[in-house]
Amino acid sequence: MTITITAFERSPDGGKGLVRDTRVRWALEEAGLPYEVRLVSFRAMKEAAHLALHPFGQIPTYEEGDLALFETGAIVLHIAERQPGPLFPADANARARAITWMFAALNTIEPPILELVIVKFTEGDKPWKDERLLLVQDRVRARLTQLAARLGDAEWLDGGFSAGDLLMVSVLLRLRSSGLLSEFPSLAAYVARGEARPAYQRAFAAQLAINTAPLAAGWGATPRH
Amino acid sequence: MTITITAFERSPDGGKGLVRDTRVRWALEEAGLPYEVRLVSFRAMKEAAHLALHPFGQIPTYEEGDLALFETGAIVLHIAERQPGPLFPADANARARAITWMFAALNTIEPPILELVIVKFTEGDKPWKDERLLLVQDRVRARLTQLAARLGDAEWLDGGFSAGDLLMVSVLLRLRSSGLLSEFPSLAAYVARGEARPAYQRAFAAQLAINTAPLAAGWGATPRH
């Protein structure tokens, strides 16, 4: 059965790979699963057809036969269960710990990082912007300090590379432009190890190609493999 | 093997059931799994023994033999996989959709709700508090509007009650004191249906008993069943 994901017709980051379809592409590449991409415009994202797939009007979504999923974490988990080798360890306890890191990435590390985006852009014209930016940066630093303490000098968060690392690296990547990541050299090196994986490189190149292609050519379902 | 979770020695909410151990207790009660509770003081949460269990120095944690987990979402998912009947549907696609709602609760609905807490308390002494509160309330309303549209007049989010509803109800519960939940009668009724479940009632009573007991009696591992 064909796997189809959705992505922005034009990504707001211009192809830096920070948008969430890159996480799903990366998981699919690690799993060696071919997929197609349906590009969605900002207008179409808020229309009924897309809202039936994604009630919060976002991307990515995942369709495979009768199954339709949204939420990047759930999609990556589904891919990891469908093709566990590259994304989940064989041992059941190690797998439960990998899932713990998936939730930690999305629920503990990412929220203050998204607040950085909100204070810079959504609240960018507010008089409190500069003072609040310092507060949010400190919230991010507190989490990174704890994460770096746990990672220590290990290569990945718990044994071999897993879907937990895939999401954690993806979340930390968003920090690079803020300068905060480089305050934590071990985390910066961890992110670089993730980016160096061939599957990440393929995922990044695929989203970049769409975001740099002429619009008309990028419209519609685009086979990826 | 004994299941042991951690909870606050004294919950910051005084037993309103808004702290995250209630979610894990609820899942364990739905699954019919007995468990013990180890209470942790605010000081002990930041010490090495607890940080070895939870790198971000929070509760709850979950221990069972050799397995140690943190992150409420991962713990609830583990419980649901261990005892699927009450928390996960039998059909694989329906189970993947239940997991989607778990991530939606924690990653899409909860972050703006937590920002309400931050603006009211962490930033409660800042000059921007009142103006920013209105902005964050509108972010919450936008999500609740989408969620109510998807729920429609259904009882639960996708077929029968699942771990996805357990987390969504738990997240929405935090909104009641803000008055925002009552702006969405169908969501308020959905939350009330969750709270009416016997397993939720047992979980709520168990956390309340600890938070209203004299401190000395509540210290240490307290058998629950």
Side-chain angles (χ1 to χ4, degrees), chain A residues 21-211:
Chain A
D21 63 285
T22 303
R23 305 173 185 187
V24 171
R25 293 173 185 272
W26 185 4
L28 288 162
E29 293 285 355
E30 293 281 355
L33 294 171
Y35 64 99
E36 297 192 353
V37 181
R38 188 172 64 249
L39 301 179
V40 184
S41 68
F42 284 102
R43 198 186 64 193
M45 276 206 310
K46 309 301 174 192
E47 289 174 352
H50 189 72
L51 288 171
L53 275 176
H54 196 314
F56 304 109
Q58 297 177 319
I59 60 95
T61 56
Y62 177 102
E63 292 162 89
E64 186 186 6
D66 288 341
L67 179 64
L69 300 176
F70 59 97
E71 287 290 333
T72 313
I75 296 171
V76 170
L77 196 145
H78 176 74
I79 294 165
E81 289 191 330
R82 201 176 170 297
Q83 202 85 338
L87 290 166
F88 273 162
D91 175 71
N93 282 0
R95 181 174 161 282
R97 291 196 301 271
I99 292 173
T100 291
W101 284 113
M102 294 176 68
F103 278 98
L106 298 178
N107 209 41
T108 296
I109 303 293
E110 191 166 44
I113 292 176
L114 289 181
E115 275 303 303
L116 280 184
V117 178
I118 286 173
V119 71
K120 280 185 192 169
F121 298 100
T122 316
E123 301 175 3
D125 60 343
K126 301 295 176 188
W128 61 72
K129 180 193 169 187
D130 292 340
E131 191 183 343
R132 195 168 166 262
L133 183 60
L134 297 176
L135 290 182
V136 177
Q137 286 172 334
D138 280 344
R139 283 163 58 196
V140 173
R141 281 190 191 97
R143 289 300 183 214
L144 297 188
T145 301
Q146 293 167 317
L147 183 65
R150 170 54 67 104
L151 180 64
D153 54 7
E155 193 174 8
W156 306 111
L157 286 165
D158 191 294
F161 177 84
S162 81
D165 296 297
L166 185 151
L167 288 180
M168 189 65 81
V169 167
S170 298
V171 161
L172 294 175
L173 264 172
R174 304 183 76 143
L175 275 179
R176 188 173 279 141
S177 67
S178 73
L180 287 172
L181 187 60
S182 57
E183 294 179 17
F184 297 82
S186 69
L187 296 180
Y190 168 71
V191 169
R193 281 193 291 279
E195 290 175 296
R197 293 178 69 84
Y200 177 82
Q201 294 289 325
R202 290 194 295 273
F204 183 88
Q207 64 79 34
L208 184 63
I210 281 177
N211 282 296

